[in-house]
Amino acid sequence: MNTKRQTHRPAAPSAGDYLIASKQCELMHLQHFLQMGKLIQSIGNLVHGLQQERGASNVFLGSGGAKFGSERTAMIRESDSRHLAFNAALVEVHESLTEQPVSPQLLNHIASAVHGLETLPRLRRQVECQNLNAVEATETYSRLIQGLITVVFEAADTAVDPTIAGLLVAMVHLMNGKEFCGQERAAGSAGFSSGGFDAALSQRIMHLVAAQERCFEVFVSLADADSRALWYELRSHPREAELDRLRRLGWSVGPRRILDPELADRWFGLMTERMDVLKKVEDAVESCFHGRCVDRFGEARNSLAHQETLLATLDEDGESSQPMLVLCSSGESWQSDGVGQQFGRSILELVQEQTRRLQQMTDELQVVKETLEDRRTQEKAVLLLMAHRKIDNDEAHRVLRKLAMDQGRRLPEVARALVSMADVLN
Amino acid sequence: MNTKRQTHRPAAPSAGDYLIASKQCELMHLQHFLQMGKLIQSIGNLVHGLQQERGASNVFLGSGGAKFGSERTAMIRESDSRHLAFNAALVEVHESLTEQPVSPQLLNHIASAVHGLETLPRLRRQVECQNLNAVEATETYSRLIQGLITVVFEAADTAVDPTIAGLLVAMVHLMNGKEFCGQERAAGSAGFSSGGFDAALSQRIMHLVAAQERCFEVFVSLADADSRALWYELRSHPREAELDRLRRLGWSVGPRRILDPELADRWFGLMTERMDVLKKVEDAVESCFHGRCVDRFGEARNSLAHQETLLATLDEDGESSQPMLVLCSSGESWQSDGVGQQFGRSILELVQEQTRRLQQMTDELQVVKETLEDRRTQEKAVLLLMAHRKIDNDEAHRVLRKLAMDQGRRLPEVARALVSMADVLN
């Protein structure tokens, strides 16, 4: 089609060519996320495996090697197969990730996650020989897991289609909430097996509960109906009430009272169930994400085909289809003569329609991305508080929440204010 | 290096590979902008040509074909050669624009600009036969020019390197300011040749002056020292004072007084000089932009080479370089034994250093991009006001400025508030 309409400047592509290129660009993005979906799914599975392995390792270390030895071995085998699946997914998406200048940040965080996984064998040996305690093991596993979740976070940040970005942001927050749930399981187990929660542990658990709430709120606001339904099912399950009862028990423990250590197993069992259900919710989001990618890809491909046919028919007029446009006095609508009019009007309308659609997508995308930006800002604010006040992560989160409550402002606002202030002070 | 460190999972790339990929991704971006620079330069030149052609066409139409006939023909020839250069630049950057999923928005706006240019021959014929008046001609030329500037705007929005993005944003605002200057030249010429400014024309000129101020403020805040110096030279030139005097003359005209129409030529001449100097400032930004792309590309290539050598030396330890990491009780620093330590520490440090650097780039980039976002929001707010209050563009800008003044807030804040309110209302 090019040569025909380009006789006056044969070299340059026409407006129609760039209209097509714009749609093809959208297609490339969607194809990329069809592949990324597999990587994200494999990350969710690997994270779940490492969370199970971390839990078993904690019980194993906490019981001086008496409990969960065989369970742990089984879970390591499970994690290893999930690790292989993750590697396979990486290999599959490798070209699409590296041949295009998508995001240096994403690639760097993959490097970080992969490096973390390379240290896994050594960590396991350390647990095996009980060379480190439950807290140290939990910290190391948690860092590996956080590294993997960050990859999904960065992937979500590269999405350009708002509907797809929205589901990825829901997914990231679900993963984060599930991870806080896993850390609460570890903290609670430690507390119950030691007979009760001390002040520090109680505060840590309160922090982890609050952190889960915040994550799940975002998840609910952006997830699809089916995943949300599964989530509400989890919330209305009797398990939740019993977990609350156990938490209150742990908190209520005074100096004179000691809890039955058997509660540790009960707590661990219930929290493990809870995490398995959260994994099911995650799978629901994942399959909805995949379906949406497929749909959007199909839509985009059809509208591309439609556009190509339309431009082709416009082209059959050949030379005479040179756009012949005049501005009306209105200054807005275009008017023209003969074939040129039909052509000129059409291509202008196609361009304008695409401009409106892309603008709307950009606006919607911005709203979704703000959720990620809020999260980044809050993490920055927490790091700032930790550095300035020499306090730990939990404490920093508490300070931030208190600031928000006292000022009656949303957490992200307070975090933004804090970060911007710091920029001024430093 | 891959196979060596990957014996336990030969298929998957290593952390080092992704570290390299991340740097290569930065390189691809910089290479892309080295090419985009040529396109942006050709757009600046073509816009300047069309602005000259628009000015000549106005005088030609205003004088009933008596004046500027030959000048106009010469300028059309000049614009045509700039148009060919623009096409050549498009062809050169075409692959880099379309082979990678950079930005559907950018490609769509190129489609729009190219389509506008396809209507140029017809517009010229209309001017030739004086089938449309100066105002209509100006509107059509201005729309073509705005379409071209929008391409630069969208290109700036795709930049990932903050230093490069900053210069592009400076460039866009300089181009916009220069275009407002061109529109003021047209408005003033019309006024002086008709013997004076009526209320509407006076307000339009005040609006165009204010709009230039806002654009040039942003330019000054983001431009390089040399370009800024040229800009301050322009501002301190006696020409500025004389233009102010002429504006006041035009405004001061009462019903009983008629200005010497000869002032039209003086005004047109001075404003044309001013635009030619603004073009020189634009060229300075452009050459600084090119230099910075080259420098950043060189830096990135060197640091990539450095990283590759470092990783290679780490690799020579082969199997033994399997990272052997343990978390210290500190929970932050890593400790390990033998070769593994040296390897483990180094690659971890490389990843962490890259993470810090990329995070800083992201933060700086965000600050620069907010300037573009502010501009988008203001345009949205203006369109909203035009639609809701049934007023024209100038009037809408005035309302927005008044709102900001009355509330003592920055224009972007007021615009944001207005847009968000509209989202609620609609």
Side-chain angles (χ1 to χ4, degrees):
Chain A
M1 61 181 271
N2 208 335
T3 50
K4 270 202 255 149
R5 206 158 66 252
Q6 296 302 317
T7 45
H8 58 305
R9 43 191 171 84
S14 71
D17 298 333
Y18 281 107
L19 203 58
I20 298 287
S22 171
K23 277 234 185 284
Q24 282 164 337
C25 182
E26 281 185 73
L27 267 180
M28 276 188 270
H29 270 295
L30 293 166
Q31 199 152 24
H32 173 65
F33 275 96
L34 264 169
Q35 289 182 282
M36 284 303 289
K38 294 179 194 163
L39 181 64
I40 289 162
Q41 183 175 30
S42 74
I43 288 175
N45 294 336
L46 178 52
V47 164
H48 194 61
L50 291 173
Q51 285 167 334
Q52 291 172 320
E53 190 182 321
R54 176 180 57 191
S57 307
N58 279 332
V59 180
F60 176 80
L61 290 168
S63 64
K67 283 186 186 173
F68 265 42
S70 57
E71 286 88 340
R72 184 175 160 269
T73 323
M75 285 170 179
I76 287 177
R77 222 178 290 108
E78 177 63 24
S79 300
D80 281 339
S81 73
R82 289 165 186 249
H83 190 171
L84 288 173
F86 167 73
N87 288 345
L90 265 185
V91 171
E92 217 178 311
V93 77
H94 190 71
E95 189 182 332
S96 164
L97 267 175
T98 53
E99 298 302 303
Q100 304 157 350
V102 177
S103 159
Q105 284 80 359
L106 175 58
L107 290 164
N108 183 62
H109 284 293
I110 293 178
S112 180
V114 168
H115 176 267
L117 291 170
E118 286 167 352
T119 69
L120 193 51
R122 173 71 171 184
L123 169 61
R124 286 166 174 170
R125 276 194 295 279
Q126 294 278 318
V127 175
E128 189 60 48
C129 333
Q130 304 182 44
N131 287 357
L132 73 178
N133 63 38
V135 175
E136 291 163 348
T138 306
E139 275 178 358
T140 318
Y141 272 110
S142 304
R143 188 173 287 98
L144 295 186
I145 290 165
Q146 200 50 59
L148 286 162
I149 294 177
T150 307
V151 172
V152 183
F153 184 102
E154 290 296 332
D157 205 26
T158 63
V160 288
D161 183 293
T163 60
I164 283 172
L167 274 181
L168 281 179
V169 174
M171 172 97 77
V172 169
H173 285 81
L174 181 61
M175 283 181 168
N176 269 309
K178 176 165 173 273
E179 169 56 9
F180 285 127
C181 180
Q183 291 178 20
E184 190 195 358
R185 176 178 66 179
S189 304
F192 283 115
S193 26
S194 70
F197 305 175
D198 60 17
L201 193 59
S202 302
Q203 281 202 319
R204 170 153 179 75
I205 286 178
M206 284 183 207
H207 156 59
L208 290 168
V209 171
Q212 287 174 67
E213 281 316 309
R214 284 199 307 284
C215 290
F216 293 139
E217 269 168 28
V218 176
F219 158 74
V220 167
S221 70
L222 290 168
D224 59 293
D226 298 355
S227 317
R228 267 208 308 274
L230 281 174
W231 161 251
Y232 288 126
E233 233 172 74
L234 176 147
R235 285 298 254 228
S236 54
H237 190 284
R239 187 194 311 110
E240 297 289 292
E242 187 172 356
L243 282 168
D244 274 337
R245 198 179 55 77
L246 286 171
R247 286 191 193 98
R248 279 195 299 277
L249 256 178
W251 289 328
S252 67
V253 155
R256 280 179 282 85
R257 186 154 156 251
I258 293 293
L259 290 174
D260 172 3
E262 284 312 306
L263 286 174
D265 297 349
R266 183 68 188 147
W267 167 267
F268 188 84
L270 286 171
M271 286 299 267
T272 305
E273 268 177 43
R274 188 170 198 256
M275 290 179 71
D276 293 341
V277 180
L278 282 171
K279 181 65 174 72
K280 287 198 175 55
V281 182
E282 202 180 287
D283 295 340
V285 182
E286 206 291 319
S287 76
C288 169
F289 173 79
H290 179 76
R292 208 173 282 185
C293 285
V294 172
D295 294 348
R296 287 284 298 109
F297 185 79
E299 285 166 23
R301 202 183 35 209
N302 292 341
S303 101
L304 172 61
H306 173 73
Q307 210 169 59
E308 280 171 334
T309 356
L310 181 47
L311 285 170
T313 56
L314 296 175
D315 248 16
E316 280 157 16
D317 321 310
E319 289 314 335
S320 64
S321 75
Q322 281 278 352
M324 300 293 183
L325 304 186
V326 197
L327 189 66
C328 302
S329 48
S330 89
E332 272 319 320
S333 72
W334 298 74
Q335 149 187 104
S336 182
D337 45 18
V339 192
Q341 164 170 28
Q342 187 260 348
F343 169 76
R345 290 187 68 87
S346 313
I347 189 156
L348 184 71
E349 279 159 5
L350 286 177
V351 173
Q352 287 173 337
E353 184 269 328
Q354 182 134 308
T355 307
R356 276 191 297 274
R357 196 175 52 76
L358 289 173
Q359 185 52 55
Q360 196 192 345
M361 272 174 63
T362 313
D363 295 350
E364 291 170 9
L365 187 64
Q366 212 189 327
V367 177
V368 175
K369 290 282 181 83
E370 270 163 16
T371 323
L372 291 179
E373 209 33 68
D374 285 351
R375 184 154 199 89
R376 273 215 187 86
T377 317
Q378 284 181 53
E379 276 156 17
K380 264 188 235 165
V382 165
L383 290 176
L384 272 169
L385 285 170
M386 287 168 72
H388 282 243
R389 294 207 186 178
K390 308 259 171 300
I391 53 178
D392 69 7
N393 187 291
D394 297 7
E395 180 67 21
H397 273 103
R398 239 183 339 270
V399 171
L400 206 58
R401 278 200 300 278
K402 189 166 181 329
L403 270 174
M405 256 184 293
D406 297 350
Q407 305 184 8
R409 288 157 73 191
R410 283 182 56 251
L411 209 58
E413 291 173 36
V414 182
R416 248 193 305 282
L418 219 148
V419 170
S420 59
M421 272 191 328
D423 292 349
V424 175
L425 296 174
N426 293 359
Chain B
M1 59 180 271
N2 207 336
T3 51
K4 275 206 245 138
R5 208 157 66 251
Q6 294 304 317
T7 44
H8 58 304
R9 44 194 169 86
S14 71
D17 298 334
Y18 283 106
L19 203 57
I20 298 286
S22 170
K23 279 237 184 279
Q24 283 165 335
C25 181
E26 281 185 73
L27 268 180
M28 276 189 270
H29 271 295
L30 293 165
Q31 200 152 24
H32 173 66
F33 275 96
L34 264 168
Q35 291 183 281
M36 283 304 288
K38 294 180 194 163
L39 181 64
I40 290 162
Q41 184 176 28
S42 74
I43 288 175
N45 294 336
L46 177 53
V47 164
H48 194 62
L50 291 172
Q51 286 167 334
Q52 290 172 320
E53 189 181 323
R54 175 181 58 190
S57 307
N58 279 332
V59 179
F60 177 80
L61 290 168
S63 65
K67 283 186 186 174
F68 265 42
S70 58
E71 287 87 340
R72 183 177 160 268
T73 324
M75 286 169 179
I76 287 178
R77 221 176 293 109
E78 177 64 22
S79 300
D80 281 340
S81 73
R82 290 166 185 246
H83 189 173
L84 288 172
F86 167 72
N87 288 345
L90 264 186
V91 171
E92 219 178 308
V93 78
H94 191 70
E95 189 181 331
S96 166
L97 266 177
T98 53
E99 298 303 303
Q100 304 157 350
V102 177
S103 159
Q105 285 81 358
L106 175 57
L107 290 163
N108 183 61
H109 283 293
I110 293 178
S112 178
V114 168
H115 175 267
L117 291 170
E118 286 167 351
T119 69
L120 193 52
R122 173 70 171 185
L123 169 62
R124 286 167 174 168
R125 278 194 294 279
Q126 294 279 318
V127 174
E128 189 60 45
C129 336
Q130 304 182 44
N131 286 359
L132 75 177
N133 63 37
V135 175
E136 291 162 351
T138 305
E139 276 177 357
T140 319
Y141 273 110
S142 304
R143 188 175 287 99
L144 295 188
I145 290 165
Q146 200 48 60
L148 286 162
I149 295 177
T150 306
V151 172
V152 182
F153 184 102
E154 289 297 332
D157 205 26
T158 63
V160 288
D161 183 293
T163 60
I164 284 173
L167 274 181
L168 281 179
V169 175
M171 172 96 78
V172 170
H173 285 81
L174 181 61
M175 284 181 166
N176 269 309
K178 176 166 173 270
E179 169 57 8
F180 284 126
C181 179
Q183 292 178 17
E184 189 196 358
R185 177 178 66 179
S189 303
F192 283 115
S193 26
S194 71
F197 305 173
D198 60 17
L201 193 59
S202 302
Q203 281 201 319
R204 170 152 180 75
I205 286 179
M206 284 183 210
H207 156 59
L208 290 169
V209 170
Q212 287 174 69
E213 281 316 310
R214 283 200 309 283
C215 291
F216 293 140
E217 271 168 28
V218 176
F219 158 74
V220 167
S221 69
L222 290 168
D224 59 293
D226 297 355
S227 317
R228 267 208 308 274
L230 281 175
W231 160 251
Y232 288 126
E233 234 172 72
L234 176 147
R235 286 299 255 227
S236 54
H237 190 284
R239 186 193 311 111
E240 298 289 291
E242 187 174 356
L243 283 168
D244 274 337
R245 198 180 55 77
L246 286 171
R247 287 191 192 98
R248 279 195 300 278
L249 257 179
W251 289 329
S252 67
V253 154
R256 278 177 286 88
R257 185 154 157 253
I258 292 293
L259 289 175
D260 171 4
E262 285 311 308
L263 287 175
D265 298 349
R266 183 67 189 148
W267 167 267
F268 188 84
L270 285 171
M271 285 299 267
T272 304
E273 268 178 43
R274 188 171 197 255
M275 291 179 70
D276 292 341
V277 180
L278 282 171
K279 182 65 174 72
K280 288 199 174 55
V281 182
E282 203 179 286
D283 295 341
V285 182
E286 206 290 319
S287 77
C288 170
F289 173 78
H290 179 74
R292 206 171 283 186
C293 286
V294 172
D295 294 349
R296 287 284 300 109
F297 185 79
E299 286 166 22
R301 202 182 36 209
N302 293 341
S303 100
L304 172 61
H306 173 72
Q307 210 168 60
E308 281 171 332
T309 347
L310 182 47
L311 286 170
T313 56
L314 296 174
D315 249 18
E316 280 155 15
D317 320 312
E319 290 313 335
S320 63
S321 75
Q322 280 278 353
M324 302 292 182
L325 304 187
V326 197
L327 189 67
C328 300
S329 51
S330 89
E332 272 318 321
S333 72
W334 298 74
Q335 151 186 102
S336 182
D337 45 18
V339 192
Q341 164 170 29
Q342 187 260 349
F343 169 76
R345 290 187 69 84
S346 312
I347 190 156
L348 185 71
E349 280 159 6
L350 286 177
V351 173
Q352 288 173 337
E353 184 269 327
Q354 182 135 308
T355 306
R356 276 191 296 275
R357 196 175 52 77
L358 289 172
Q359 185 53 55
Q360 196 192 346
M361 275 175 62
T362 313
D363 295 349
E364 289 170 10
L365 186 65
Q366 210 189 330
V367 176
V368 174
K369 291 281 181 85
E370 269 163 17
T371 324
L372 290 179
E373 208 34 67
D374 284 352
R375 185 156 198 89
R376 272 216 187 86
T377 317
Q378 285 180 54
E379 276 156 17
K380 262 187 236 166
V382 164
L383 291 176
L384 272 169
L385 285 170
M386 289 169 71
H388 282 244
R389 293 207 187 177
K390 308 257 171 299
I391 52 178
D392 69 7
N393 187 291
D394 298 6
E395 179 69 20
H397 273 105
R398 240 185 336 273
V399 171
L400 206 58
R401 277 201 301 280
K402 190 169 180 326
L403 271 173
M405 257 183 293
D406 297 351
Q407 306 184 6
R409 288 156 73 192
R410 286 183 55 248
L411 209 58
E413 293 172 35
V414 182
R416 249 193 305 284
L418 218 149
V419 170
S420 59
M421 271 190 333
D423 291 349
V424 176
L425 296 173
N426 294 358

